[in-house]
């Protein structure tokens, strides 16, 4: 008797039942595996999110970490902003992680930018610092009082390292002596021609001066450069209250000269660059900008322009000038001038920079001057030597304008 093999025998499972059982078994297995993976992922992600929060911490702790990072940044570096890019939609999980960190990154960026702005080594700050500490020289003098003769004795001995004020890179210094607040009566030393380290050794007597009045006065010494054809140029000053000095015997002092309080020390500053080309025997002077210029007009402003004179052995060789900037105490010029100077003449060459105030109705006023040479003041000499040491490179420096 023929029996169909596909026919189900009594008590044996059919093929459909077996198929359904297999599907159920596989589904349960997949579900179990997926649940295990999901649980494992949750644990890993939860741990990672916890670490992220520990790294960011509170705003205060994040700020501390950011400052340390910013401090270690090299000059010229910048912080990377990890804030989300505008227009980009982050995933939920990453969004939770980056939102606290983006505020810290913004703080890092702001702190870093401020620290880079204030970091030492920028050319302009170094230049300004060098100008503000420029040496005006120093003076030696002695003072004492003779009680028997009621006479105050002041002896002017010498000065050292005075700045150059003349075209020749030197000065003709002399000293005025006052007992402030009296400005009508003054005494003067002799003029020492072409001498930046003059010796006077001159003694001055203020006779018939009661001691009670002497201790109420201030000894004021003003060092000037004598000029035959124009106003004498102030070099520096020293003042010492006599009530702080033991006048029973001659006391000797060395004092650094300070900018004169007659306004010569507040004429403003000028930024310029020098570029020396030895193969072309030329110097390019670039007048860049000025700041805090002295107001020369009635309206409290000035119309500045700059004259550049090339001098050789006290003789004027060539003159050039910038355009006039109307009513501007912080003008920007950015004008360059080239001068032909053979190498063998550099030691006898002086470049005189004069900032002028343009006046239509009267003579133009001098705001301030700068003398650039081998023999000028310390700041000018430094600029000149830097120019020689770095040929074909513009060397910029701020200079204090002088009377």
């Amino acid at each position: 008797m023929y029996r169909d093999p596909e026919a189900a025998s009594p008590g044996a499972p059919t093929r459909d039942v077996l198929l359904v059982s297999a599907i159920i078994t596989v589904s349960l297995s997949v579900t179990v595996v997926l649940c295990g993976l999901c649980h494992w992922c949750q644990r890993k992600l939860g741990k990672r999110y916890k670490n992220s929060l520990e790294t960011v911490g509170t705003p205060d702790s994040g700020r501390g970490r950011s400052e340390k990072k910013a401090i270690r940044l090299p000059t010229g570096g910048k912080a990377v902003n990890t804030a989300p890019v505008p227009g980009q939609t982050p995933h939920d999980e990453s969004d939770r992680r980056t939102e606290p960190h983006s505020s810290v990154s913004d703080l890092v960026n702001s702190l870093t930018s401020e620290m880079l702005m204030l970091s030492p080594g920028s050319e302009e700050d170094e230049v300004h610092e060098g100008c503000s500490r420029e040496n005006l020289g120093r003076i030696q003098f002695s003072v004492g009082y003779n009680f028997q003769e009621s006479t105050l004795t002041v002896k002017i001995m010498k000065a050292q390292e005075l700045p150059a004020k003349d075209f020749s890179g030197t000065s003709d210094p002399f000293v005025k002596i006052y007992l402030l607040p009296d400005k009508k009566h003054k005494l003067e030393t002799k003029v020492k021609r072409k001498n930046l380290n003059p010796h006077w050794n001159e003694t001055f007597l203020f006779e018939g001066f009661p001691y009670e009045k002497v201790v109420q006065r201030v000894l004021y010494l003003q060092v000037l450069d004598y000029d035959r054809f124009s106003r004498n140029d102030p070099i520096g000053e020293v003042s010492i209250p006599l009530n702080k000095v033991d006048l029973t015997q001659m006391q000797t002092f060395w004092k650094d000269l300070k900018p004169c309080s007659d306004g010569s020390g507040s004429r403003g500053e000028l930024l310029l660059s020098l570029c020396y080309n030895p193969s072309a025997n030329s110097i390019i002077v670039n007048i860049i900008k000025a700041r805090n210029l002295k107001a020369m007009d009635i309206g409290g402003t000035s119309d500045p322009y700059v004259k550049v004179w090339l001098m050789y052995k006290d003789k004027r060789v060539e003159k050039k000038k910038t355009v006039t900037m109307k009513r501007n105490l912080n003008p920007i010029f950015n004008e360059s001038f080239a001068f032909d100077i053979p190498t063998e003449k550099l030691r006898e060459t002086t470049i005189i920079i004069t900032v002028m105030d343009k006046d239509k109705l009267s003579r133009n006023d001098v705001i301030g001057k700068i003398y650039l040479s081998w023999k000028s003041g310390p700041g000018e000499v430094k600029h000149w030597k830097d120019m020689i040491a770095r040929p074909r490179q513009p060397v910029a420096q701020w200079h204090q304008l002088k009377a």
Side-chain angles (χ1 to χ4, degrees):
M1 177 177 177
Y2 175 74
R3 179 176 292 180
D4 188 356
E6 297 181 358
S9 60
T14 63
R15 186 175 61 179
D16 293 339
V17 173
L18 292 174
L19 182 60
V20 170
S21 299
I23 291 173
I24 293 174
T25 302
V26 171
S27 299
L28 290 174
S29 300
V30 170
T31 302
V32 171
V33 171
L34 289 177
C35 289
L37 287 175
C38 183
H39 181 66
W40 179 82
C41 289
Q42 287 179 350
R43 284 188 302 164
K44 296 298 288 183
L45 289 175
K47 183 177 181 181
R48 186 181 306 170
Y49 182 58
K50 180 180 179 181
N51 290 338
S52 175
L53 290 178
E54 289 176 353
T55 301
V56 175
T58 63
D60 291 337
S61 64
R63 187 179 293 111
R65 294 176 184 270
S66 300
E67 285 181 347
K68 290 181 181 179
K69 267 190 176 182
I71 289 172
R72 288 196 296 268
L73 279 175
T75 302
K78 60 180 181 180
V80 178
N81 190 352
T82 57
V85 178
Q88 179 179 350
T89 305
H91 297 291
D92 292 340
E93 186 65 25
S94 63
D95 205 21
R96 280 204 305 252
R97 290 198 302 268
T98 56
E99 276 182 358
H101 189 64
S102 67
S103 61
V104 177
S105 294
D106 292 338
L107 181 61
V108 170
N109 283 338
S110 62
L111 289 175
T112 305
S113 61
E114 291 176 4
M115 298 177 85
L116 290 177
M117 289 173 63
L118 297 175
S119 62
S122 67
E123 183 177 4
E124 185 169 322
D125 287 345
E126 285 180 352
V127 165
H128 182 61
E129 184 179 356
C131 287
S132 62
R133 294 188 299 184
E134 183 179 354
N135 182 25
L136 295 176
R138 58 180 189 155
I139 186 171
Q140 185 186 41
F141 62 96
S142 62
V143 60
Y145 187 76
N146 188 324
F147 288 87
Q148 293 180 350
E149 300 180 1
S150 298
T151 299
L152 179 70
T153 301
V154 178
K155 183 176 181 180
I156 307 299
M157 298 176 178
K158 58 185 176 180
Q160 292 180 346
E161 300 176 356
L162 298 180
K165 291 288 187 177
D166 299 336
F167 296 153
S168 59
T170 185
S171 293
D172 303 319
F174 70 100
V175 182
K176 289 183 178 181
I177 306 164
Y178 297 87
L179 289 180
L180 299 180
D182 181 14
K183 293 185 178 181
K184 295 181 180 180
H185 304 92
K186 67 178 183 296
L187 300 173
E188 297 181 2
T189 67
K190 296 179 180 179
V191 176
K192 296 297 181 179
R193 301 284 182 180
K194 298 183 179 180
N195 197 333
L196 299 181
N197 298 279
H199 287 248
W200 289 285
N201 290 320
E202 297 185 40
T203 301
F204 302 90
L205 303 177
F206 293 86
E207 299 176 337
F209 220 124
Y211 180 77
E212 293 77 13
K213 292 187 177 180
V214 168
V215 294
Q216 298 175 4
R217 299 299 180 94
V218 175
L219 177 63
Y220 174 77
L221 308 179
Q222 185 182 38
V223 183
L224 301 101
D225 171 53
Y226 174 77
D227 198 322
R228 180 182 301 176
F229 302 106
S230 63
R231 187 171 65 91
N232 298 326
D233 296 327
I235 295 177
E237 66 180 21
V238 167
S239 60
I240 177 170
L242 293 179
N243 61 358
K244 296 183 179 180
V245 180
D246 181 10
L247 298 175
T248 57
Q249 55 184 352
M250 294 294 291
Q251 300 283 339
T252 301
F253 300 90
W254 270 110
K255 293 289 186 180
D256 292 331
L257 294 174
K258 299 179 180 180
C260 292
S261 56
D262 61 352
S264 59
S266 58
R267 295 176 177 270
E269 297 174 282
L270 182 68
L271 177 63
L272 60 97
S273 70
L274 301 175
C275 181
Y276 174 58
N277 189 336
S279 59
N281 288 328
S282 67
I283 291 180
I284 297 178
V285 180
N286 183 16
I287 307 299
I288 302 174
K289 60 181 178 179
R291 65 187 178 192
N292 302 324
L293 293 181
K294 183 177 180 180
M296 306 297 287
D297 298 336
I298 298 177
T301 184
S302 293
D303 302 321
Y305 69 97
V306 181
K307 289 194 304 184
V308 184
W309 271 104
L310 175 65
M311 308 291 296
Y312 179 69
K313 290 185 177 181
D314 297 343
K315 296 181 180 179
R316 297 182 179 183
V317 178
E318 189 176 1
K319 181 187 79 170
K320 298 182 180 181
K321 64 179 180 179
T322 68
V323 298
T324 301
M325 310 298 290
K326 296 290 186 180
R327 295 181 294 279
N328 198 334
L329 298 180
N330 298 279
I332 298 176
F333 297 100
N334 283 327
E335 295 190 46
S336 297
F337 307 103
F339 296 94
D340 295 329
I341 305 175
T343 304
E344 62 273 11
K345 294 185 177 181
L346 275 177
R347 288 231 171 230
E348 302 293 334
T349 296
T350 302
I351 295 177
I352 302 176
I353 313 292
T354 306
V355 181
M356 305 287 297
D357 171 49
K358 183 75 172 179
D359 199 325
K360 294 182 179 179
L361 302 178
S362 63
R363 197 179 71 170
N364 299 332
D365 298 320
V366 176
I367 298 177
K369 296 182 180 181
I370 301 167
Y371 297 85
L372 299 170
S373 71
W374 284 101
K375 303 175 183 179
S376 304
E380 292 84 353
V381 170
K382 178 183 180 300
H383 198 179
W384 193 265
K385 289 183 177 180
D386 289 346
M387 173 194 70
I388 301 298
R390 294 159 61 182
R392 302 178 184 86
Q393 298 181 33
V395 181
Q397 182 173 316
W398 281 100
H399 291 274
Q400 186 77 40
L401 295 174
K402 301 175 183 178

